[in-house]
Amino acid sequence: MPMDLELFWGAVLALSILIYVLLDGFDLGVGILFGLNREESQRRDMMGSIAPVWDGNETWLIVVGTVLFGAFPVVYSIFLSAFYLPVALLLVALILRGVAFEFRYKTQRARWLWDFGFIAGSAVAAFVQGAAIGAMVAGITVEGRDFAGGPFDWIAPFPLLCGIGLVLGYTLLGAAWLVLKTEGPLRDWAYGWLPRLMTGVIAFVALALLGTLVGDFRVVDRWLAQPWLLLLPLVASLAAWQLYRVAADRRSEWQPYVLTSLLFLTAYLMLAASFWPWLVPYHLTLTEAAAPESSLEFLFWGAGVVVLPVILLYTGVVYWVFRGKVDPGQQYH
Protein backbone atom coordinates (compact mmCIF):
# COMPACT_ATOMS: atom_id res chain seq x y z
CA MET A 1 0.00 0.00 0.00
CA PRO A 2 2.73 2.60 0.77
CA MET A 3 4.38 1.93 -2.59
CA ASP A 4 1.00 2.26 -4.30
CA LEU A 5 0.47 5.68 -2.71
CA GLU A 6 3.97 6.82 -3.65
CA LEU A 7 3.34 5.85 -7.25
CA PHE A 8 -0.11 7.43 -7.17
CA TRP A 9 1.21 10.79 -5.99
CA GLY A 10 4.16 10.55 -8.34
CA ALA A 11 1.71 10.06 -11.20
CA VAL A 12 -0.47 12.94 -9.98
CA LEU A 13 2.59 15.19 -9.81
CA ALA A 14 3.71 14.21 -13.32
CA LEU A 15 0.23 14.66 -14.78
CA SER A 16 -0.30 18.01 -13.04
CA ILE A 17 2.98 19.38 -14.41
CA LEU A 18 2.07 18.25 -17.92
CA ILE A 19 -1.43 19.78 -17.74
CA TYR A 20 0.01 23.03 -16.42
CA VAL A 21 2.59 23.23 -19.21
CA LEU A 22 0.06 22.55 -21.96
CA LEU A 23 -2.62 24.90 -20.60
CA ASP A 24 -0.81 27.78 -18.95
CA GLY A 25 1.88 27.45 -21.61
CA PHE A 26 -0.38 28.70 -24.38
CA ASP A 27 -1.73 31.66 -22.41
CA LEU A 28 1.80 32.70 -21.42
CA GLY A 29 2.67 32.34 -25.10
CA VAL A 30 -0.22 34.58 -26.10
CA GLY A 31 1.06 37.14 -23.59
CA ILE A 32 4.50 37.08 -25.21
CA LEU A 33 3.00 37.37 -28.71
CA PHE A 34 0.96 40.31 -27.42
CA GLY A 35 4.17 42.33 -27.53
CA LEU A 36 4.66 41.55 -31.22
CA ASN A 37 1.26 42.83 -32.34
CA ARG A 38 0.44 46.56 -32.27
CA GLU A 39 -3.11 46.38 -33.61
CA GLU A 40 -5.47 47.17 -30.71
CA SER A 41 -8.45 45.22 -32.08
CA GLN A 42 -6.27 42.15 -32.52
CA ARG A 43 -4.78 42.62 -29.06
CA ARG A 44 -8.30 42.57 -27.63
CA ASP A 45 -9.04 39.34 -29.45
CA MET A 46 -5.76 37.85 -28.21
CA MET A 47 -6.73 38.59 -24.63
CA GLY A 48 -10.24 37.40 -25.34
CA SER A 49 -8.93 34.01 -26.46
CA ILE A 50 -7.49 33.34 -23.00
CA ALA A 51 -9.82 35.42 -20.81
CA PRO A 52 -12.14 32.57 -19.73
CA VAL A 53 -9.35 30.13 -18.89
CA TRP A 54 -6.08 31.84 -17.92
CA ASP A 55 -6.70 31.96 -14.17
CA GLY A 56 -8.02 28.39 -14.12
CA ASN A 57 -4.90 27.22 -15.94
CA GLU A 58 -2.74 28.52 -13.10
CA THR A 59 -4.68 26.32 -10.68
CA TRP A 60 -2.51 23.44 -11.87
CA LEU A 61 0.60 25.22 -10.67
CA ILE A 62 -0.99 25.33 -7.21
CA VAL A 63 -1.75 21.61 -7.52
CA VAL A 64 1.92 20.92 -8.30
CA GLY A 65 3.06 22.91 -5.25
CA THR A 66 0.49 21.25 -3.01
CA VAL A 67 1.47 17.73 -4.07
CA LEU A 68 5.15 18.49 -3.52
CA PHE A 69 4.47 20.02 -0.10
CA GLY A 70 2.17 17.22 1.07
CA ALA A 71 3.52 14.08 -0.61
CA PHE A 72 7.20 14.91 -1.22
CA PRO A 73 8.11 17.59 1.36
CA VAL A 74 11.87 17.06 1.11
CA VAL A 75 11.71 17.80 -2.63
CA TYR A 76 9.63 20.89 -1.88
CA SER A 77 12.27 22.04 0.60
CA ILE A 78 15.20 21.41 -1.75
CA PHE A 79 13.44 22.99 -4.73
CA LEU A 80 12.51 26.18 -2.88
CA SER A 81 15.99 26.49 -1.39
CA ALA A 82 17.64 26.02 -4.79
CA PHE A 83 15.21 28.17 -6.75
CA TYR A 84 14.00 30.74 -4.25
CA LEU A 85 14.70 33.65 -6.61
CA PRO A 86 13.16 32.03 -9.72
CA VAL A 87 10.05 31.05 -7.75
CA ALA A 88 9.76 34.60 -6.36
CA LEU A 89 10.15 36.02 -9.87
CA LEU A 90 7.54 33.55 -11.14
CA LEU A 91 4.99 34.60 -8.54
CA VAL A 92 5.61 38.32 -9.13
CA ALA A 93 5.33 37.80 -12.90
CA LEU A 94 2.05 35.88 -12.62
CA ILE A 95 0.59 38.49 -10.28
CA LEU A 96 1.74 41.31 -12.56
CA ARG A 97 0.18 39.80 -15.68
CA GLY A 98 -3.04 39.06 -13.81
CA VAL A 99 -3.35 42.64 -12.58
CA ALA A 100 -2.42 43.98 -16.02
CA PHE A 101 -5.10 41.78 -17.58
CA GLU A 102 -7.77 43.59 -15.57
CA PHE A 103 -6.35 47.12 -15.43
CA ARG A 104 -5.43 47.74 -19.09
CA TYR A 105 -9.09 48.31 -19.94
CA LYS A 106 -9.58 50.82 -17.13
CA THR A 107 -7.23 53.46 -18.49
CA GLN A 108 -6.15 55.01 -21.77
CA ARG A 109 -3.18 57.12 -20.72
CA ALA A 110 -1.39 54.38 -18.76
CA ARG A 111 -2.44 51.45 -20.94
CA TRP A 112 1.12 51.11 -22.24
CA LEU A 113 2.25 50.41 -18.68
CA TRP A 114 -0.20 47.55 -18.17
CA ASP A 115 0.54 46.20 -21.63
CA PHE A 116 4.20 46.09 -20.69
CA GLY A 117 3.31 44.33 -17.44
CA PHE A 118 1.28 41.72 -19.31
CA ILE A 119 4.08 41.07 -21.81
CA ALA A 120 6.93 41.13 -19.28
CA GLY A 121 5.02 39.01 -16.78
CA SER A 122 4.35 36.36 -19.42
CA ALA A 123 7.96 36.30 -20.66
CA VAL A 124 9.53 36.24 -17.19
CA ALA A 125 7.20 33.46 -16.00
CA ALA A 126 8.13 31.31 -18.99
CA PHE A 127 11.84 32.07 -18.72
CA VAL A 128 12.28 31.19 -15.04
CA GLN A 129 10.38 27.93 -15.48
CA GLY A 130 12.75 26.91 -18.26
CA ALA A 131 15.81 28.02 -16.31
CA ALA A 132 14.75 25.92 -13.32
CA ILE A 133 14.27 22.86 -15.54
CA GLY A 134 17.70 23.41 -17.08
CA ALA A 135 19.32 23.70 -13.67
CA MET A 136 17.70 20.43 -12.56
CA VAL A 137 18.99 18.68 -15.70
CA ALA A 138 22.49 20.03 -15.12
CA GLY A 139 22.26 18.95 -11.47
CA ILE A 140 22.04 20.89 -8.23
CA THR A 141 24.22 20.55 -5.15
CA VAL A 142 22.55 18.43 -2.46
CA GLU A 143 24.08 17.06 0.72
CA GLY A 144 21.94 14.49 2.50
CA ARG A 145 18.43 15.88 2.21
CA ASP A 146 19.34 19.58 2.03
CA PHE A 147 20.32 21.96 -0.74
CA ALA A 148 23.98 22.88 -0.34
CA GLY A 149 24.48 25.29 -3.23
CA GLY A 150 24.10 29.04 -3.62
CA PRO A 151 21.11 31.20 -4.57
CA PHE A 152 22.56 32.01 -8.00
CA ASP A 153 23.60 28.50 -9.07
CA TRP A 154 20.74 28.49 -11.59
CA ILE A 155 22.32 31.43 -13.42
CA ALA A 156 24.54 29.40 -15.74
CA PRO A 157 24.72 29.02 -19.54
CA PHE A 158 22.69 25.81 -19.83
CA PRO A 159 19.80 26.87 -17.53
CA LEU A 160 19.63 30.28 -19.21
CA LEU A 161 19.52 28.57 -22.61
CA CYS A 162 16.64 26.40 -21.38
CA GLY A 163 14.86 29.53 -20.17
CA ILE A 164 15.04 31.04 -23.66
CA GLY A 165 13.98 27.72 -25.15
CA LEU A 166 10.83 27.53 -23.05
CA VAL A 167 9.95 31.12 -23.96
CA LEU A 168 10.12 30.09 -27.63
CA GLY A 169 8.16 26.90 -26.95
CA TYR A 170 5.38 28.67 -25.07
CA THR A 171 5.20 31.34 -27.77
CA LEU A 172 4.81 28.60 -30.40
CA LEU A 173 2.03 27.06 -28.30
CA GLY A 174 0.39 30.48 -28.01
CA ALA A 175 0.49 31.02 -31.78
CA ALA A 176 -1.09 27.60 -32.30
CA TRP A 177 -3.82 28.51 -29.79
CA LEU A 178 -4.58 31.75 -31.66
CA VAL A 179 -4.92 29.79 -34.91
CA LEU A 180 -7.43 27.54 -33.16
CA LYS A 181 -9.45 30.27 -31.44
CA THR A 182 -9.43 33.28 -33.78
CA GLU A 183 -10.41 34.18 -37.34
CA GLY A 184 -9.44 36.61 -40.07
CA PRO A 185 -6.30 38.77 -39.95
CA LEU A 186 -5.29 37.68 -36.44
CA ARG A 187 -5.45 34.00 -37.37
CA ASP A 188 -3.36 34.69 -40.48
CA TRP A 189 -0.89 36.66 -38.39
CA ALA A 190 -0.56 33.74 -35.97
CA TYR A 191 -0.12 31.32 -38.89
CA GLY A 192 2.78 33.45 -40.07
CA TRP A 193 4.59 33.08 -36.75
CA LEU A 194 4.33 29.28 -36.62
CA PRO A 195 7.25 28.40 -38.97
CA ARG A 196 9.53 31.09 -37.51
CA LEU A 197 8.91 29.96 -33.96
CA MET A 198 9.25 26.30 -34.93
CA THR A 199 12.65 27.10 -36.45
CA GLY A 200 13.64 28.84 -33.21
CA VAL A 201 12.57 25.83 -31.15
CA ILE A 202 14.56 23.47 -33.38
CA ALA A 203 17.64 25.70 -33.00
CA PHE A 204 17.20 25.62 -29.23
CA VAL A 205 16.90 21.82 -29.19
CA ALA A 206 20.11 21.53 -31.22
CA LEU A 207 21.99 23.89 -28.88
CA ALA A 208 20.56 22.16 -25.79
CA LEU A 209 21.65 18.76 -27.09
CA LEU A 210 25.12 20.12 -27.80
CA GLY A 211 25.25 21.68 -24.34
CA THR A 212 24.18 18.40 -22.76
CA LEU A 213 26.92 16.47 -24.56
CA VAL A 214 29.62 19.08 -23.88
CA GLY A 215 28.53 19.42 -20.27
CA ASP A 216 28.85 15.65 -19.83
CA PHE A 217 25.60 15.53 -17.88
CA ARG A 218 24.72 12.15 -16.41
CA VAL A 219 21.45 12.11 -18.33
CA VAL A 220 23.45 11.11 -21.43
CA ASP A 221 24.27 7.77 -19.77
CA ARG A 222 20.54 7.07 -19.44
CA TRP A 223 20.02 7.79 -23.14
CA LEU A 224 22.78 5.38 -24.11
CA ALA A 225 21.43 2.71 -21.75
CA GLN A 226 17.88 3.03 -23.12
CA PRO A 227 18.08 3.54 -26.89
CA TRP A 228 14.29 3.22 -27.19
CA LEU A 229 14.17 6.81 -25.93
CA LEU A 230 15.30 7.84 -29.42
CA LEU A 231 11.76 7.04 -30.60
CA LEU A 232 10.54 10.17 -28.82
CA PRO A 233 12.76 12.59 -30.80
CA LEU A 234 11.63 10.75 -33.94
CA VAL A 235 7.97 11.41 -33.10
CA ALA A 236 8.82 15.05 -32.34
CA SER A 237 10.60 15.40 -35.69
CA LEU A 238 7.56 14.07 -37.55
CA ALA A 239 5.30 16.47 -35.64
CA ALA A 240 7.59 19.42 -36.46
CA TRP A 241 7.64 18.46 -40.16
CA GLN A 242 3.83 18.25 -40.23
CA LEU A 243 3.57 21.60 -38.44
CA TYR A 244 5.64 23.24 -41.18
CA ARG A 245 3.30 21.73 -43.78
CA VAL A 246 0.15 22.90 -41.97
CA ALA A 247 1.57 26.41 -41.53
CA ALA A 248 2.29 26.54 -45.27
CA ASP A 249 -1.14 25.50 -46.57
CA ARG A 250 -3.17 27.06 -43.70
CA ARG A 251 -6.08 24.66 -44.16
CA SER A 252 -6.26 23.15 -40.68
CA GLU A 253 -6.96 25.20 -37.59
CA TRP A 254 -6.79 22.43 -35.00
CA GLN A 255 -3.63 20.64 -36.14
CA PRO A 256 -1.14 23.35 -35.07
CA TYR A 257 -2.21 23.16 -31.42
CA VAL A 258 -2.35 19.36 -31.43
CA LEU A 259 1.06 19.07 -33.09
CA THR A 260 2.64 21.65 -30.79
CA SER A 261 1.17 19.87 -27.78
CA LEU A 262 2.65 16.63 -29.14
CA LEU A 263 6.07 18.31 -29.27
CA PHE A 264 5.75 19.28 -25.62
CA LEU A 265 4.49 15.81 -24.71
CA THR A 266 7.45 14.05 -26.33
CA ALA A 267 9.91 16.45 -24.68
CA TYR A 268 8.23 15.90 -21.32
CA LEU A 269 8.27 12.10 -21.68
CA MET A 270 11.92 12.25 -22.71
CA LEU A 271 12.74 14.27 -19.62
CA ALA A 272 10.70 12.02 -17.32
CA ALA A 273 12.16 8.80 -18.74
CA SER A 274 15.67 10.22 -18.49
CA PHE A 275 15.37 10.80 -14.74
CA TRP A 276 12.99 8.11 -13.51
CA PRO A 277 12.85 7.22 -10.62
CA TRP A 278 14.73 10.32 -9.40
CA LEU A 279 12.66 13.26 -8.14
CA VAL A 280 15.79 15.23 -7.32
CA PRO A 281 18.13 13.97 -10.06
CA TYR A 282 20.87 11.67 -8.76
CA HIS A 283 20.06 12.41 -5.11
CA LEU A 284 16.54 11.35 -4.10
CA THR A 285 14.26 8.77 -5.69
CA LEU A 286 10.47 8.72 -5.52
CA THR A 287 10.55 6.30 -2.57
CA GLU A 288 13.24 8.19 -0.67
CA ALA A 289 11.47 11.53 -1.09
CA ALA A 290 7.95 10.37 -0.16
CA ALA A 291 6.23 11.54 3.01
CA PRO A 292 5.27 9.02 5.74
CA GLU A 293 2.47 6.59 4.89
CA SER A 294 0.01 8.34 7.22
CA SER A 295 0.55 11.65 5.40
CA LEU A 296 0.13 10.06 1.99
CA GLU A 297 -3.11 8.38 3.09
CA PHE A 298 -4.50 11.59 4.59
CA LEU A 299 -3.64 13.48 1.41
CA PHE A 300 -5.18 10.74 -0.70
CA TRP A 301 -8.61 10.89 0.93
CA GLY A 302 -8.69 14.68 1.03
CA ALA A 303 -7.00 15.87 -2.14
CA GLY A 304 -6.91 12.70 -4.23
CA VAL A 305 -10.54 11.61 -3.85
CA VAL A 306 -12.27 14.98 -3.49
CA VAL A 307 -10.23 17.96 -4.70
CA LEU A 308 -8.47 16.60 -7.80
CA PRO A 309 -11.64 15.25 -9.48
CA VAL A 310 -13.35 18.60 -8.87
CA ILE A 311 -10.45 20.49 -10.48
CA LEU A 312 -10.43 18.14 -13.45
CA LEU A 313 -14.21 18.49 -13.84
CA TYR A 314 -14.01 22.28 -13.54
CA THR A 315 -11.26 22.47 -16.16
CA GLY A 316 -13.17 20.27 -18.58
CA VAL A 317 -16.43 22.19 -18.14
CA VAL A 318 -14.77 25.59 -18.66
CA TYR A 319 -13.10 24.51 -21.89
CA TRP A 320 -16.34 22.93 -23.11
CA VAL A 321 -18.47 26.00 -22.31
CA PHE A 322 -16.02 28.40 -23.95
CA ARG A 323 -15.24 26.24 -26.96
CA GLY A 324 -15.33 27.78 -30.41
CA LYS A 325 -13.99 31.02 -31.81
CA VAL A 326 -13.48 34.33 -30.04
CA ASP A 327 -16.14 36.94 -30.73
CA PRO A 328 -14.20 39.60 -32.69
CA GLY A 329 -14.08 43.01 -31.04
CA GLN A 330 -15.56 41.79 -27.76
CA GLN A 331 -13.99 43.40 -24.69
CA TYR A 332 -12.93 40.79 -22.12
CA HIS A 333 -11.82 41.68 -18.61
Side-chain angles (χ1 to χ4, degrees), residues 47-131:
M47 299 192 85
S49 72
I50 63 174
V53 298
W54 71 269
D55 47 354
N57 292 342
E58 293 176 0
T59 301
W60 291 100
L61 186 62
I62 299 173
V63 173
V64 171
T66 302
V67 172
L68 282 176
F69 180 79
F72 307 103
V74 64
V75 179
Y76 182 88
S77 173
I78 291 173
F79 186 86
L80 281 188
S81 299
F83 303 112
Y84 182 84
L85 289 177
V87 170
L89 286 172
L90 173 63
L91 294 177
V92 170
L94 293 178
I95 292 171
L96 178 61
R97 73 189 297 269
V99 173
F101 198 103
E102 300 293 334
F103 278 31
R104 80 173 302 268
Y105 292 108
K106 307 299 182 183
T107 179
Q108 290 288 339
R109 184 176 302 176
R111 178 168 292 178
W112 66 271
L113 178 63
W114 298 115
D115 287 347
F116 175 78
F118 183 59
I119 299 163
S122 300
V124 170
F127 177 79
V128 296
Q129 289 177 28

Side-chain angles (χ1 to χ4, degrees), residues 134-268:
M136 292 290 283
V137 172
I140 59 176
T141 305
V142 176
E143 292 182 1
R145 298 168 71 85
D146 299 306
F147 175 67
F152 300 104
D153 286 0
W154 62 280
I155 303 179
F158 186 77
L160 296 181
L161 174 64
C162 290
I164 296 172
L166 194 60
V167 169
L168 289 171
Y170 278 174
T171 309
L172 176 63
L173 199 58
W177 177 257
L178 290 176
V179 169
L180 178 66
K181 295 293 289 184
T182 63
E183 296 179 309
L186 178 56
R187 181 190 58 192
D188 294 337
W189 179 84
Y191 262 127
W193 275 101
L194 287 176
R196 286 180 280 180
L197 291 168
M198 187 68 253
T199 301
V201 169
I202 291 173
F204 155 72
V205 171
L207 288 173
L209 179 60
L210 178 63
T212 303
L213 296 175
V214 172
D216 194 26
F217 300 148
R218 291 176 59 182
V219 68
V220 177
D221 298 332
R222 179 63 66 91
W223 295 348
L224 296 176
Q226 301 183 90
W228 64 268
L229 288 176
L230 297 178
L231 292 174
L232 293 173
L234 177 60
V235 172
S237 298
L238 293 174
W241 176 71
Q242 179 64 15
L243 185 59
Y244 276 118
R245 293 185 59 192
V246 171
D249 63 35
R250 302 190 177 189
R251 293 181 180 178
S252 175
E253 296 183 345
W254 60 268
Q255 282 194 53
Y257 185 74
V258 172
L259 292 169
T260 307
S261 297
L262 181 59
L263 290 173
F264 271 88
L265 177 61
T266 54
Y268 183 74

